[in-house]
Amino acid sequence: MIEEYKKEKSTNLTINVQADEINEIREVTLEKNSTRIFKDGKIFSANYLGKVENDDLKKNALENTYGSLEFDYSLNDSVVNQSSFGKKLRDLDVVDLTKDLLSHFQKNLPDFIYSGKVDYNEVDTNLVVSSGIDIKQTESSVEGFLIMKRKGSPNIMDSALGFSIGDGNIDLSNFDNFIDLHKKFDNVVDVKSGRSPVIFVSEKDFLQKFSQSLSPESYHQGSAYYSDKLGEKLFNEKVNLVDVRVDESDGLFNIYDSEGEKLSPELPLIENGVFKNIFYDKNMAKKYKATSTGNGKREFNSSVFPRAYHLDFVAGDKTYKELVASFEKVIVIIMAGGGDTTTNGDYSSPVQVGFVVENGNVVGRTPEITISGNIDQMMGEDFIAISSDKFYPTRSHSFMCHMNIIK
Amino acid sequence: MENSKLLKEIDFNSLNVDYADIRVEKTDETKIVYQSGDLREATTSPSLGAFLRVLKDGNWAFKSTTELNSLQSEFEALEGRVSLLPAKNKLSWPKRDSQHYEVMRYQDKSCNKASLKEKKDFCEALLPTLESEKLIQGPMVIYKDQYKEKWFMSSDGVSYHYDYNHAGAYAIFTLKDGDQIYEDSVKYFFQNVHGQSKSAISELEKAIEKAKPFIHAPTVEPGKYKVVLDSEITGIFTHESFGHKSEADFMLGDEAMKEEWQIGKSVGSENLSIVDDGNWPETSGDLPVDDEGNLKTKTYLIKNGKLAGRLHSTQTAVLLDEVPTGNARAMNFQYEPIVRMTNTYIEKGEKSLEELISQIDDGLYIVGAKHGMGMSTFTIAPSKAYKILNGKLCGPVKVSVISGNVFETLNLIEEVGSDFHIASSSLGGCGKMEQFPLPVADGGPSIIVKEMTVS
């Protein structure tokens, strides 16, 4: 019998911004406990959100016979690690960071009303497995978002931005491109139906069919869009996509997965246009005769499933500014939420927040338009480039391709 | 200690604040996942936690904790933490009458009345149907339930104790024929699994047969179409298009909007009435009293095409000089209540679905929804769509999304059907700010919309 215990103690301090005012502060302190008992080819599990003794968890797990899962793979051993990431902040530091962020936007874009949150998280995790795993990790990070509503607008929101930082410091100049676009928010310009270069500054909803293909069950059962395509050159050779596990400046601190598997900072998924990897945890790796990619992830109250950490394109050669300046007219997509992809790979989405840039100059905001394309073509013959820089202070590079514009 | 006694021990009078309250939530959840016939998860997750609020000088301080033995000292700590925020004094708490609400409706029929084995048996009963269809690849069955008890007490003498319950499942399948693929699912919603298997299997068999013609269906030619939306799509449309706009927090700080968004303003067709009402037991939007102790009222958002009301928390009602509607809701004990919907629907009309379809010369019948989103443009990803020609349903077409401008579309509703259904879900829900998924339900009748963008 092998016993696994995972304890996660977290403190989260959130400063809420509501209609231009910093008027709410929230602290959440949680203790999450879980156990998995590996015995006689079965995994017995139990969890509790709150304080609980390990003996009680073990007893509950062993009594939970109907919740047991099959188990026929080997567990890791000799994994001992203690690590600490991020920078600890005081309550007042988080309040001040929120004030700085809000006043920066109020000064540069005064015609908007701002709501949102700044979240500071401290998490202590301890994973102990009697097969020989003892991983302790302490991490601190800050993330947040602002929702923007143009004064007098009937919409619930007119734009939004997000950020994530690992070191507690935010360089507000990283929002310059975002601010430059929104200074022309009130100028809605005419956009004609037809083909146009489009740049997604951060959003990757169009990758839905590729992301689904990274699931080993979907991939091997043949139900994924890219089933049986591993190793094939599917896309433009300048398309490189990775699963990012560690990027300390952006608050990504995953050095082990939930099964104690050591992680490389990045897992290549598309390399020079070639489909390189799908995700495996230990169970799926055994089932499909593969090797775990370290994507075995689980919440305290769930089983292990192969999941992504953070998908991002690998930086290209030109900055966002250079890319948009290299065409006569470019549609810049801040938000294209609510889109979907058919089973043929045809992606379509309304542009919720978009701008028109002509020869590098921001002209104005797009009217209500829909963009459409096919994922194979967007990353194939219609592909233009991936930016060398990040549009927001978060790990996400911009993606540019030709698409159809429907007015 | 019993949770109600725990709350009674709080000494609100000792706090130097304008208002304070506490909400304790005890929750039991079960999740079961079968993937390609294998059991991948069967977890029961119990939790007990509290959310504390204090209001002082116009600012709020909140605390969420799983440690319930030091609640009084947590309140005292909040007194200090709230002073970190700049004093505004804009928000004062209104006078309320002392009141206790006791609404325990689900103890005898909750999802907890079924054992984990019975819940697994329900899922396993669906597997042979999925596995016997040769065209199906990698089917999944996901079951999820939740039974929750809530206790609340405030410094102004309002308290409640009520329960909430839901259970349900998704049977998800991919049909593949050659290189053509079609994904579909069947959603189930009930209070517990007892007696559900037979009808669930029958429903799944019918759904698979209905899905098969979509494998080789052509993709719709993108453009504007006259559409009939079924009740599920109507519900999502109602929620995404107008429901979110009715949440009053979006008006805060915007004087121009207060002037523009006056009650009585014409915002839609005369045949259109939209309601938010928590008083629908056994739906996922069931809410007798909100998370700050205000009774949920039936709220007309639009009545006969005119703006009739909006959804409020106490805070938005005070700041906009209106009355709370009982719509302050939190996803769980880790979050503060914010303005949210409950059951949101369009009231039904008089014509049958068949009559609605017969009125269309050239258009689409849109059925079932995968997801939706609402900003200035709302979008819905439908499950199925059929061509309508000369008043008759024709073949299936693959549609990615339907979308439209919210205000334009509200005025383009030509007909409201007599069929009516509120769609609940045990798995999904509504997302706002960081709180997702909050259980809600939405629905209405089938409707005709004169023009929608389909792609």
Side-chain angles (χ1 to χ4, degrees), chain A residues 86-101:
Chain A
K87 180 183 166 188
K88 288 201 186 295
L89 301 180
R90 298 169 301 146
D91 289 3
L92 201 54
D93 296 332
V94 188
V95 174
D96 287 344
L97 194 156
T98 312
K99 283 180 182 169
D100 290 347
L101 181 75

Side-chain angles (χ1 to χ4, degrees), chain B residues 64-209:
Chain B
S64 168
T65 181
T66 48
E67 176 54 74
L68 304 190
N69 293 321
S70 52
L71 295 173
Q72 189 70 38
S73 60
E74 291 291 2
F75 268 118
E76 286 156 12
L78 287 182
E79 272 190 68
R81 188 167 290 128
V82 76
S83 64
L84 291 173
L85 304 176
K88 301 271 185 356
N89 282 315
K90 275 191 178 175
L91 177 65
S92 57
W93 196 257
K95 173 90 180 120
R96 295 195 295 184
D97 293 332
S98 293
Q99 181 77 260
H100 177 75
Y101 303 100
E102 184 80 18
V103 194
M104 296 294 288
R105 290 197 271 229
Y106 298 105
Q107 285 169 309
D108 297 333
K109 54 186 169 187
S110 83
C111 54
N112 286 343
K113 292 293 169 190
S115 67
L116 183 61
K117 179 182 181 303
E118 289 172 310
K119 295 169 188 178
K120 279 177 65 184
D121 287 347
F122 169 82
C123 298
E124 286 178 3
L126 300 172
L127 297 178
T129 305
L130 291 164
E131 289 166 354
S132 62
E133 172 52 59
K134 287 177 187 168
L135 296 174
I136 288 182
Q137 313 270 328
M140 282 184 82
V141 176
I142 304 174
Y143 168 89
K144 199 169 179 189
D145 68 27
Q146 182 187 81
Y147 178 70
K148 180 178 282 196
E149 266 187 273
K150 288 187 180 188
W151 295 261
F152 173 88
M153 189 165 282
S154 68
S155 59
D156 60 355
V158 176
S159 61
Y160 64 66
H161 174 214
Y162 78 87
D163 62 354
Y164 172 84
N165 181 73
H166 70 221
Y170 276 25
I172 303 164
F173 54 90
T174 302
L175 292 160
K176 188 175 184 187
D177 188 13
D179 60 354
Q180 293 295 302
I181 288 175
Y182 179 71
E183 295 158 354
D184 205 357
S185 64
V186 181
K187 301 167 198 165
Y188 304 102
F189 183 85
F190 35 75
Q191 296 306 304
N192 71 52
V193 295
H194 289 155
Q196 298 293 336
S197 293
K198 196 174 169 187
S199 61
I201 293 167
S202 169
E203 206 175 325
L204 179 58
E205 288 169 346
K206 287 177 193 163
I208 292 169
E209 290 309 310

Side-chain angles (χ1 to χ4, degrees), chain B residues 178-420:
Chain B
D179 60 354
Q180 293 295 302
I181 288 175
Y182 179 71
E183 295 158 354
D184 205 357
S185 64
V186 181
K187 301 167 198 165
Y188 304 102
F189 183 85
F190 35 75
Q191 296 306 304
N192 71 52
V193 295
H194 289 155
Q196 298 293 336
S197 293
K198 196 174 169 187
S199 61
I201 293 167
S202 169
E203 206 175 325
L204 179 58
E205 288 169 346
K206 287 177 193 163
I208 292 169
E209 290 309 310
K210 272 189 182 173
K212 283 180 183 174
F214 282 85
I215 304 174
H216 296 285
T219 300
V220 73
E221 184 67 34
K224 308 260 188 194
Y225 288 85
K226 190 169 196 173
V227 295
V228 177
L229 307 181
D230 82 340
S231 66
E232 186 177 346
I233 297 266
T234 296
I236 301 265
F237 164 72
T238 307
H239 178 103
E240 298 296 349
S241 70
F242 200 76
H244 279 298
K245 282 191 189 303
S246 301
E247 294 167 339
D249 45 355
F250 100 98
M251 288 181 65
L252 295 180
D254 194 345
E255 292 302 321
M257 274 308 298
K258 288 183 205 168
E259 287 299 314
E260 175 66 19
W261 212 228
Q262 297 276 354
I263 299 297
K265 176 187 169 78
S266 180
V267 289
S269 310
E270 281 185 11
N271 55 7
L272 178 67
S273 293
I274 297 181
V275 173
D276 182 84
D277 187 0
N279 300 296
W280 285 73
E282 301 192 12
T283 63
S284 49
D286 173 28
L287 185 81
V289 53
D290 78 359
D291 283 329
E292 45 188 19
N294 290 319
L295 204 60
K296 175 64 190 120
T297 56
K298 179 176 179 178
T299 313
Y300 274 92
L301 308 178
I302 297 176
K303 196 159 191 179
N304 302 327
K306 291 191 166 49
L307 188 66
R310 41 190 151 247
L311 306 178
H312 280 296
S313 63
T314 305
Q315 176 169 324
T316 61
V318 167
L319 293 174
L320 297 173
D321 200 21
E322 295 183 357
V323 178
T325 55
N327 284 87
R329 304 185 65 194
M331 192 171 75
N332 56 40
F333 76 89
Q334 298 174 41
Y335 298 97
E336 65 275 19
I338 56 175
V339 184
R340 307 299 294 267
M341 285 172 263
T342 59
N343 298 291
T344 314
Y345 57 89
I346 290 179
E347 287 192 322
K348 67 180 178 182
E350 291 174 358
K351 288 187 180 173
S352 69
L353 171 61
E354 291 70 25
E355 287 175 290
L356 299 187
I357 290 171
S358 72
Q359 290 180 222
I360 312 276
D361 291 331
D362 185 1
L364 294 169
Y365 175 44
I366 314 280
V367 182
K370 290 191 279 188
H371 59 80
M373 180 179 175
M375 287 179 61
S376 60
T377 303
F378 71 89
T379 66
I380 299 166
S383 300
K384 296 182 179 69
Y386 299 87
K387 281 286 289 178
I388 305 173
L389 283 174
N390 302 320
K392 295 200 183 319
L393 280 184
C394 301
V397 284
K398 284 178 179 165
V399 167
S400 175
V401 290
I402 59 172
S403 60
N405 175 281
V406 171
F407 294 106
E408 288 172 7
T409 307
L410 288 171
N411 279 293
L412 294 173
I413 296 174
E414 289 186 338
E415 294 282 0
V416 177
S418 59
D419 54 334
F420 184 88

